[in-house]
């Protein structure tokens, strides 16, 4: 696939996989994907598996991501994990503001933007998630919601930091539901987000930022979604838990 930006496909494992299961998955992925150079491939295991997975993928084309981090650097924040701790395991990416955290942990755009700044300060690349609920789409609020989330969660980033940031458009109604956005819905949302980036930063930055689609991405729909001009990769949940389906998504996008 001839794309303006290099595709980036990330697997968000969520709260799945013991260390042994995580190692089995990455060992299969390493074999399946050894020859892929056209796509940046990221795996995001739970915190407890980062250390072992980090060692297991050292000699591979897989890169490591975390699923969340604290906006603080150290101190009395029981149960939290900071950027410096992730860096110990060669983590390069961190998913921020996933809709499950927005919903269950009540994370706000203001908090997510603080986390993004803390990630950049540690040279971690944030994968910033935005997306509307079904009720918001039905009420024709999609663009309004995306505008608020994009402006709020990316507030305060420099142009250089924005270029090193990945945005993930994940319609909440498509996550884990088996319902995927149509290619038209995805392309429209991605183009809308890119326009907002041009307004907030500039045209050059907006052209360089990679915007992933997420929400029930499967081997069967990956190619069509990623063939859209403004879709630069995928954030994959359920289908990233099996080596065959995650590898096929990546191979189908090339
Ligand atoms: P899904 O999850 O692929 O299982 O829909 C995507 C995500 O939540 O990132």
């Amino acid at each position: 696939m001839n794309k303006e930006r290099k595709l980036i496909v990330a697997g968000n494992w969520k709260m799945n996989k013991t260390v042994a299961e995580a190692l089995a998955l990455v060992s299969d992925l390493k074999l399946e994907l050894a020859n892929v150079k056209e796509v940046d491939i990221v795996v995001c295991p739970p915190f407890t598996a980062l250390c072992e997975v980090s060692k297991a993928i050292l000699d591979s084309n897989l890169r490591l991501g975390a699923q969340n981090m604290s906006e603080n650097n150290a101190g009395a924040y029981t149960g939290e994990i900071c950027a410096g701790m992730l860096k110990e395991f060669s983590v390069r990416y961190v998913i921020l503001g996933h809709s499950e955290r927005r919903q269950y942990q009540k994370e706000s755009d203001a908090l997510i933007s603080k986390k993004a700044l803390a990630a950049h300060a540690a040279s971690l690349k944030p994968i910033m998630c935005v997306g509307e609920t079904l009720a918001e789409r039905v009420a024709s609020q999609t663009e309004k919601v995306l505008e608020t989330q994009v402006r709020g969660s990316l507030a305060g980033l420099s142009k250089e930091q924005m270029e090193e940031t990945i945005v993930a458009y994940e319609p909440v109604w498509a996550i884990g539901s088996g319902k995927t956005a149509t290619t038209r819905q995805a392309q429209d949302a991605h183009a809308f987000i890119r326009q907002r980036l041009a307004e907030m930063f500039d045209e050059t930055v907006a052209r360089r930022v990679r915007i992933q689609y997420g929400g029930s991405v499967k081997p069967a729909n990956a190619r069509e979604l990623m063939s859209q001009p403004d879709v630069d990769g995928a954030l994959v949940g359920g289908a990233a838990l099996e080596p065959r389906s995650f590898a096929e998504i990546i191979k189908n996008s090339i």
Side-chain angles (χ1 to χ4, degrees):
M1 214 182 274
N2 197 9
K3 299 286 292 186
E4 190 178 344
R5 294 160 288 271
K6 189 174 185 190
L7 288 171
I8 175 163
V9 176
N12 173 11
W13 298 2
K14 308 191 182 185
M15 199 172 70
N16 294 293
K17 306 286 179 191
T18 61
V19 172
E21 289 164 350
L23 288 175
L25 175 52
V26 289
S27 120
D28 286 348
L29 287 177
K30 275 166 64 175
L31 291 176
E32 295 253 11
L33 296 168
N35 298 322
V36 175
K37 294 183 184 59
E38 300 86 342
V39 181
D40 286 335
I41 307 166
V42 184
V43 290
C44 305
F47 290 129
T48 47
L50 285 176
C51 179
E52 291 302 319
V53 170
S54 172
K55 288 185 235 165
I57 64 175
L58 260 185
D59 57 344
S60 80
N61 54 348
L62 305 184
R63 296 289 171 264
L64 195 56
Q67 298 174 20
N68 176 43
M69 58 169 253
S70 170
E71 72 280 22
N72 296 300
N73 289 330
Y77 301 102
T78 302
E80 293 290 298
I81 290 194
C82 65
M85 294 168 178
L86 300 179
K87 296 285 287 184
E88 281 196 295
F89 303 121
S90 307
V91 170
R92 312 247 187 131
Y93 297 86
V94 58
I95 299 170
L96 296 178
H98 189 279
S99 66
E100 285 149 17
R101 296 201 62 84
R102 289 177 183 266
Q103 186 184 349
Y104 305 133
Q105 271 73 36
K106 304 280 177 279
E107 290 197 0
S108 65
D109 290 322
L111 174 70
I112 296 160
S113 107
K114 283 190 194 155
K115 292 186 179 200
L117 289 168
H120 279 297
S123 300
L124 290 170
K125 294 185 205 301
I127 298 176
M128 307 291 289
C129 303
V130 296
E132 81 288 357
T133 63
L134 183 58
E136 289 162 345
R137 177 162 282 270
V138 169
S140 304
Q141 298 291 300
T142 299
E143 294 195 342
K144 186 164 167 267
V145 170
L146 292 180
E147 169 121 32
T148 304
Q149 292 181 343
V150 166
R151 289 194 184 275
S153 59
L154 301 173
L157 293 185
S158 68
K159 289 182 184 180
E160 292 71 26
Q161 288 171 332
M162 189 63 231
E163 285 187 13
E164 297 295 321
T165 299
I166 291 110
V167 178
Y169 168 60
E170 298 206 299
V172 179
W173 48 271
I175 295 177
S177 64
K179 290 191 199 110
T180 320
T182 62
T183 48
R184 179 68 193 273
Q185 286 170 328
Q187 169 57 27
D188 286 353
H190 284 228
F192 179 82
I193 292 167
R194 205 178 296 287
Q195 280 161 19
R196 301 291 80 70
L197 296 179
E199 288 167 11
M200 292 171 68
F201 299 91
D202 63 33
E203 291 283 347
T204 311
V205 172
R207 251 201 335 270
R208 289 186 180 153
V209 172
R210 294 182 289 179
I211 307 178
Q212 296 174 316
Y213 169 81
S216 298
V217 176
K218 304 274 183 288
N221 58 29
R223 176 177 288 279
E224 212 192 335
L225 283 162
M226 284 186 259
S227 68
Q228 298 302 302
D230 286 294
V231 179
D232 311 309
L235 183 55
V236 186
L241 297 175
E242 292 294 329
R244 177 105 11 107
S245 50
F246 189 60
E248 265 181 47
I249 286 170
I250 289 160
K251 289 178 185 165
N252 288 353
S253 68
I254 298 172

